[in-house]
Amino acid sequence: MCETRLRDNWPCETNWPRLPSTTTSNRGYAAIAEARSVLEHELETIRTGGTWKGERIITSKQGPHINVDGSRGDILNFCANNYLGLSSHPQVVEAGIEALQKYGAGLSSVRFICGTQDIHKDLEQKLAQFHEREDCILYASCFDANAGLFEVLLGPDDAVLSDELNHASIIDGIRLCRAKRFRYKHMDLNDLETQLKESQSSRLRLVVTDGVFSMDGDMAPLKGICDLAEQYGAMVFIDECHATGFMGPRGRGTDELLGVMDRVHIVNSTLGKALGGAAGGYTVGPKPLIDLLRQRSRPYLFSNSLPPPVVGCATRAVELLLASNEIAQSVGDKTMRFRNKMTEAGFTISGSDHPICPVMLGDARLASLMADDMLKLGVYVIGFSYPVVPKGKARIRVQISAAHTDQDIDHAVDAFIQTGRKHGVVS
Ligand code: PLP
């Protein structure tokens, strides 16, 4: 393309130094100008498609009641993964401060160089104990745990069988590994069996599923999955990000709730949701697997170790859960209150008995407009649309926290009824 014409199209030309058209730098500017125009076009497509994801700015700490930039006063927050209300729990915050003071802000290192402190080992041991698995390895996030697992465990002679609606980080992690890939229909045991038969000749086989699927709040049929895996000689992996801490009688997760803790071999989960909400992820499972991950897992080997305050907060959250089952149980009744009242009002709530309560609306714009109107009534919720959920299945995903009071929940239901009537969703 002729340089003069490119220069004419430069979007911010007036801010840029003028250079002779023949220099290498000028060709660099031309390249970025071309990229800008491609990116602007892409952004416009998202805007006109009604799937633009704006970011509201919170000016307080995370919790059921927050302050939001541009909105007056106290806003009720119904879209955090703060299932147990531990994000701002005084003991969790205090433990973070103590760790910051004793161990500093961070390690300036990956784990195997000089980034392992006693608190990292202690948290790994407590998480292994919590999940009743042999060992644990920490990552900077569960996204990293999912990115780092599959290529270490599975090679070209192996096979991975993955639910079609698994989380993006699982999909990306699987893309990085060289195993043969089999995708089964969402929670469809018949289809899983077909794929298990087809992959029979592989050396190792791993069935991979979210324990709870975050967009719908539905739970994997783990008993059926374990039965099939055992019948066909496969291992089972679950991602427990939306289950750890509050599913099952002691909050161990969907595997505990469904009675298959000893039949699920590998669990990945996050410290960034129910377990204090700061950041971090981990894998628990057989010791040789964890040992090998420490040697080969790329996000572990090539990324900084978890900062001490984050480790301190998560450790206290796990200690609270190990000490008492009451916390794990604290969100169930509140979830049912919201689900029952919303269903009575005429809304369709997807999923079952999980604090993720997707209010199904269908249209992306409707979901976004209703979420904006809810904020005007003091309730912070977010509309989810394509590509986060399938086209035509837009929704407002409400998440209940143990920190919500009954009045908070009733206020949210009233606001939904008011906005739902305005937009003709309920009568
Ligand atoms: N897996 C699932 C099912 C998730 O919902 C998420 C977070 O949204 C992740 C993995 C990634 O977790 P993290 O935020 O710790 O990277």
Side-chain angles (χ1 to χ4, degrees):
M1 190 181 281
C2 139
E3 280 182 357
T4 321
R5 202 165 77 71
L6 269 176
R7 284 169 58 87
D8 290 346
N9 290 339
W10 287 0
C12 308
E13 192 187 23
T14 48
N15 299 331
W16 295 358
R18 290 180 182 273
L19 295 163
S21 62
T22 50
T23 62
T24 311
S25 307
N26 204 22
R27 283 199 292 277
Y29 282 118
I32 194 66
E34 183 101 48
R36 272 176 192 273
S37 112
V38 170
L39 297 174
E40 285 301 345
H41 178 260
E42 196 64 28
L43 291 169
E44 197 47 36
T45 313
I46 298 173
R47 277 189 207 101
T48 51
T51 58
W52 184 266
K53 285 165 226 22
E55 292 178 5
R56 292 184 186 140
I57 297 166
I58 298 174
T59 54
S60 59
K61 60 188 171 188
Q62 184 60 279
H65 296 249
I66 55 175
N67 298 121
V68 179
D69 199 22
S71 297
R72 280 192 185 181
D74 190 59
I75 301 289
L76 273 173
N77 183 8
F78 275 90
C79 52
N81 299 305
N82 184 19
Y83 296 112
L84 296 175
L86 296 182
S87 296
S88 307
H89 188 287
Q91 285 193 43
V92 172
V93 173
E94 192 52 40
I97 293 168
E98 278 168 19
L100 178 66
Q101 279 167 344
K102 182 164 179 201
Y103 291 93
L107 273 302
S108 307
S109 171
V110 299
R111 285 286 296 271
F112 82 94
I113 299 181
C114 57
T116 300
Q117 294 169 315
D118 50 357
I119 49 174
H120 294 94
K121 298 308 285 181
D122 179 53
L123 178 55
E124 285 172 340
Q125 183 269 318
K126 287 198 166 92
L127 286 166
Q129 179 192 344
F130 182 76
H131 285 282
E132 298 176 5
R133 297 323 199 270
E134 287 172 24
D135 204 354
C136 170
I137 177 173
L138 287 173
Y139 287 87
S141 67
C142 187
F143 202 109
D144 279 354
N146 286 340
L149 172 73
F150 304 106
E151 71 166 336
V152 173
L153 177 62
L154 305 170
D157 296 337
D158 305 320
V160 57
L161 302 100
S162 176
D163 187 294
E164 65 180 346
L165 292 192
N166 277 339
H167 189 260
S169 55
I170 295 179
I171 295 169
D172 286 5
I174 289 174
R175 277 189 191 139
L176 291 170
C177 89
R178 293 195 295 147
K180 290 175 210 76
R181 297 170 205 163
F182 296 82
R183 200 167 59 153
Y184 63 91
K185 291 194 192 106
H186 182 46
M187 304 206 304
D188 185 330
L189 292 176
N190 290 330
D191 196 31
L192 173 59
E193 183 163 20
T194 307
Q195 318 273 345
L196 278 163
K197 283 181 184 157
E198 269 184 42
S199 60
Q200 196 81 50
S201 62
S202 301
R203 184 187 62 166
L204 299 177
R205 282 176 305 156
L206 182 65
V207 180
V208 172
T209 181
D210 281 1
V212 170
F213 292 84
S214 60
M215 285 303 130
D216 290 294
D218 50 354
M219 209 187 315
L222 287 187
K223 194 175 168 310
I225 289 176
C226 290
D227 288 346
L228 283 173
E230 281 161 16
Q231 188 181 339
Y232 290 94
M235 299 174 289
V236 178
F237 161 95
I238 56 175
D239 175 325
E240 287 281 86
C241 282
H242 293 277
T244 300
F246 57 95
M247 298 291 279
R250 297 171 304 153
R252 293 333 192 229
T254 40
D255 56 350
E256 183 191 35
L257 181 68
L258 300 176
V260 292
M261 274 185 94
D262 54 346
R263 300 171 72 196
V264 170
H265 307 97
I266 307 165
V267 178
N268 276 5
S269 194
T270 185
L271 305 172
K273 299 192 196 305
L275 299 187
Y282 58 90
T283 299
V284 291
K287 184 158 179 2
L289 170 66
I290 304 301
D291 287 345
L292 191 62
L293 289 171
R294 286 194 207 281
Q295 301 304 313
R296 298 244 173 97
S297 184
R298 291 166 73 81
Y300 183 81
L301 287 173
F302 298 110
S303 188
N304 229 20
S305 64
L306 269 189
V310 169
V311 176
C313 291
T315 304
R316 186 58 53 87
V318 177
E319 284 168 353
L320 289 170
L321 286 163
L322 283 168
S324 154
N325 298 334
E326 251 173 60
I327 298 177
Q329 296 308 313
S330 56
V331 70
D333 287 351
K334 298 186 175 166
T335 298
M336 291 326 291
R337 185 179 185 96
F338 180 81
R339 283 182 171 273
N340 291 340
K341 288 197 163 205
M342 286 291 283
T343 309
E344 268 166 36
F347 288 98
T348 305
I349 312 295
S350 172
S352 55
D353 300 0
H354 192 276
I356 292 174
C357 306
V359 182
M360 302 306 288
L361 297 166
D363 182 65
R365 273 176 209 285
L366 173 63
S368 166
L369 285 175
M370 268 189 68
D372 289 346
D373 284 345
M374 291 286 291
L375 187 59
K376 288 176 198 146
L377 297 175
V379 181
Y380 185 161
V381 286
I382 291 287
F384 284 71
S385 53
Y386 180 81
V388 182
V389 296
K391 276 188 179 150
K393 293 208 169 167
R395 66 204 62 184
I396 289 176
R397 186 180 71 170
V398 169
Q399 285 168 287
I400 306 298
S401 167
H404 287 129
T405 62
D406 286 351
Q407 288 92 318
D408 293 340
I409 288 168
D410 295 351
H411 182 128
V413 172
D414 290 345
F416 263 111
I417 293 172
Q418 205 174 316
T419 47
R421 281 188 187 140
K422 175 178 166 189
H423 292 280
V425 178
V426 290
S427 45

CSV table of all heavy atoms in Angstrom, one decimal, residues 81 141-144 146 167 169 210 212 214 239 241-242 269-273 280-281, ligand 1:
chain,number,residue,atom,x,y,z
A,81,ASN,N,-18.1,-13.6,42.8
A,81,ASN,CA,-17.9,-15.0,43.1
A,81,ASN,C,-17.5,-15.2,44.6
A,81,ASN,O,-16.9,-16.1,45.0
A,81,ASN,CB,-16.8,-15.6,42.3
A,81,ASN,CG,-17.0,-15.5,40.8
A,81,ASN,OD1,-18.1,-16.0,40.3
A,81,ASN,ND2,-16.1,-14.9,40.0
A,141,SER,N,-3.0,-18.5,39.2
A,141,SER,CA,-4.4,-18.5,39.0
A,141,SER,C,-4.9,-19.9,38.6
A,141,SER,O,-4.0,-20.7,38.2
A,141,SER,CB,-4.8,-17.5,37.8
A,141,SER,OG,-4.2,-18.0,36.6
A,142,CYS,N,-6.2,-20.1,38.6
A,142,CYS,CA,-6.6,-21.4,38.1
A,142,CYS,C,-6.5,-21.4,36.6
A,142,CYS,O,-6.4,-22.5,36.0
A,142,CYS,CB,-8.1,-21.7,38.6
A,142,CYS,SG,-8.6,-23.3,38.1
A,143,PHE,N,-6.6,-20.3,36.0
A,143,PHE,CA,-6.4,-20.2,34.5
A,143,PHE,C,-5.0,-20.9,34.2
A,143,PHE,O,-4.9,-21.7,33.3
A,143,PHE,CB,-6.4,-18.8,34.0
A,143,PHE,CG,-6.7,-18.7,32.5
A,143,PHE,CD1,-8.0,-18.2,32.1
A,143,PHE,CD2,-5.8,-19.1,31.6
A,143,PHE,CE1,-8.3,-18.2,30.7
A,143,PHE,CE2,-6.1,-19.1,30.2
A,143,PHE,CZ,-7.3,-18.6,29.8
A,144,ASP,N,-4.0,-20.5,35.0
A,144,ASP,CA,-2.7,-21.1,34.8
A,144,ASP,C,-2.6,-22.5,35.2
A,144,ASP,O,-2.0,-23.3,34.5
A,144,ASP,CB,-1.7,-20.3,35.7
A,144,ASP,CG,-1.2,-19.0,35.1
A,144,ASP,OD1,-1.6,-18.7,34.0
A,144,ASP,OD2,-0.4,-18.3,35.8
A,146,ASN,N,-5.0,-24.6,34.8
A,146,ASN,CA,-5.6,-25.3,33.6
A,146,ASN,C,-4.7,-25.3,32.4
A,146,ASN,O,-4.6,-26.2,31.6
A,146,ASN,CB,-7.0,-24.8,33.3
A,146,ASN,CG,-8.0,-25.2,34.3
A,146,ASN,OD1,-7.9,-26.2,35.0
A,146,ASN,ND2,-9.1,-24.4,34.4
A,167,HIS,N,-14.9,-24.6,30.8
A,167,HIS,CA,-14.4,-23.2,30.9
A,167,HIS,C,-13.3,-23.0,29.8
A,167,HIS,O,-12.5,-23.8,29.5
A,167,HIS,CB,-13.8,-23.0,32.3
A,167,HIS,CG,-13.5,-21.6,32.6
A,167,HIS,ND1,-12.2,-21.1,32.5
A,167,HIS,CD2,-14.2,-20.5,32.9
A,167,HIS,CE1,-12.2,-19.8,32.8
A,167,HIS,NE2,-13.4,-19.4,33.1
A,169,SER,N,-10.4,-21.6,30.0
A,169,SER,CA,-9.1,-22.0,30.4
A,169,SER,C,-8.8,-23.5,30.2
A,169,SER,O,-7.6,-23.9,29.9
A,169,SER,CB,-8.8,-21.6,31.8
A,169,SER,OG,-9.7,-22.1,32.7
A,210,ASP,N,-15.9,-29.3,34.1
A,210,ASP,CA,-16.2,-28.4,35.2
A,210,ASP,C,-17.1,-29.2,36.2
A,210,ASP,O,-18.0,-29.9,35.8
A,210,ASP,CB,-17.0,-27.2,34.7
A,210,ASP,CG,-16.2,-26.2,34.0
A,210,ASP,OD1,-15.0,-26.3,33.9
A,210,ASP,OD2,-16.8,-25.1,33.6
A,212,VAL,N,-19.0,-27.5,38.5
A,212,VAL,CA,-20.2,-26.7,38.2
A,212,VAL,C,-19.8,-25.7,37.1
A,212,VAL,O,-18.8,-25.2,37.0
A,212,VAL,CB,-20.5,-25.8,39.5
A,212,VAL,CG1,-21.5,-24.8,39.2
A,212,VAL,CG2,-20.9,-26.7,40.6
A,214,SER,N,-20.1,-22.4,35.1
A,214,SER,CA,-20.3,-21.1,35.7
A,214,SER,C,-21.3,-20.3,35.0
A,214,SER,O,-21.9,-19.3,35.6
A,214,SER,CB,-18.9,-20.3,35.6
A,214,SER,OG,-18.5,-20.2,34.3
A,239,ASP,N,-12.8,-29.3,37.4
A,239,ASP,CA,-12.4,-27.9,37.7
A,239,ASP,C,-13.5,-27.4,38.7
A,239,ASP,O,-14.7,-27.4,38.4
A,239,ASP,CB,-12.5,-27.0,36.4
A,239,ASP,CG,-12.3,-25.5,36.7
A,239,ASP,OD1,-12.7,-25.1,37.7
A,239,ASP,OD2,-11.7,-24.9,35.8
A,241,CYS,N,-13.7,-24.5,40.5
A,241,CYS,CA,-13.7,-23.1,40.8
A,241,CYS,C,-15.0,-22.6,41.4
A,241,CYS,O,-15.0,-21.7,42.3
A,241,CYS,CB,-13.4,-22.2,39.5
A,241,CYS,SG,-11.7,-22.3,39.1
A,242,HIS,N,-16.2,-23.1,40.9
A,242,HIS,CA,-17.5,-22.7,41.4
A,242,HIS,C,-18.1,-23.7,42.4
A,242,HIS,O,-19.3,-23.8,42.5
A,242,HIS,CB,-18.4,-22.4,40.2
A,242,HIS,CG,-17.9,-21.2,39.4
A,242,HIS,ND1,-18.2,-19.9,39.8
A,242,HIS,CD2,-17.2,-21.1,38.3
A,242,HIS,CE1,-17.6,-19.1,38.9
A,242,HIS,NE2,-17.0,-19.8,38.0
A,269,SER,N,-8.6,-25.9,41.1
A,269,SER,CA,-9.6,-24.9,41.7
A,269,SER,C,-8.9,-23.5,41.9
A,269,SER,O,-7.7,-23.4,41.6
A,269,SER,CB,-10.2,-25.4,43.0
A,269,SER,OG,-11.3,-24.6,43.3
A,270,THR,N,-9.6,-22.6,42.4
A,270,THR,CA,-9.1,-21.2,42.5
A,270,THR,C,-9.2,-20.7,43.9
A,270,THR,O,-10.0,-21.2,44.7
A,270,THR,CB,-10.0,-20.3,41.6
A,270,THR,OG1,-9.4,-19.0,41.6
A,270,THR,CG2,-11.4,-20.2,42.1
A,271,LEU,N,-8.3,-19.8,44.2
A,271,LEU,CA,-8.3,-19.1,45.5
A,271,LEU,C,-9.0,-17.7,45.3
A,271,LEU,O,-9.2,-17.0,46.2
A,271,LEU,CB,-6.9,-18.8,46.0
A,271,LEU,CG,-6.0,-20.1,46.1
A,271,LEU,CD1,-4.6,-19.7,46.5
A,271,LEU,CD2,-6.6,-21.0,47.2
A,272,GLY,N,-9.4,-17.5,44.1
A,272,GLY,CA,-10.0,-16.2,43.7
A,272,GLY,C,-11.5,-16.1,43.8
A,272,GLY,O,-12.1,-15.1,43.3
A,273,LYS,N,-12.1,-17.1,44.3
A,273,LYS,CA,-13.6,-17.0,44.4
A,273,LYS,C,-14.0,-17.2,45.9
A,273,LYS,O,-13.8,-16.3,46.7
A,273,LYS,CB,-14.2,-18.0,43.5
A,273,LYS,CG,-13.9,-17.7,42.0
A,273,LYS,CD,-14.7,-18.5,41.0
A,273,LYS,CE,-14.1,-18.5,39.6
A,273,LYS,NZ,-13.8,-17.2,39.0
A,280,GLY,N,-5.1,-16.7,42.7
A,280,GLY,CA,-4.3,-17.9,42.8
A,280,GLY,C,-5.1,-19.1,42.4
A,280,GLY,O,-6.4,-19.1,42.5
A,281,GLY,N,-4.5,-20.2,42.0
A,281,GLY,CA,-5.1,-21.4,41.7
A,281,GLY,C,-4.2,-22.6,42.1
A,281,GLY,O,-3.1,-22.4,42.5
B,1,PLP,N1,-12.2,-22.3,35.7
B,1,PLP,C1,-13.4,-21.8,35.9
B,1,PLP,C2,-14.6,-22.8,35.8
B,1,PLP,C3,-13.7,-20.5,36.2
B,1,PLP,O1,-14.9,-20.0,36.3
B,1,PLP,C4,-12.5,-19.6,36.3
B,1,PLP,C5,-12.7,-18.1,36.5
B,1,PLP,O2,-13.5,-17.5,36.0
B,1,PLP,C6,-11.3,-20.1,36.1
B,1,PLP,C7,-11.1,-21.5,35.8
B,1,PLP,C8,-10.1,-19.3,36.2
B,1,PLP,O3,-9.8,-19.0,37.6
B,1,PLP,P1,-8.8,-17.8,38.0
B,1,PLP,O4,-9.6,-16.6,38.2
B,1,PLP,O5,-8.2,-18.3,39.3
B,1,PLP,O6,-7.8,-17.8,36.9
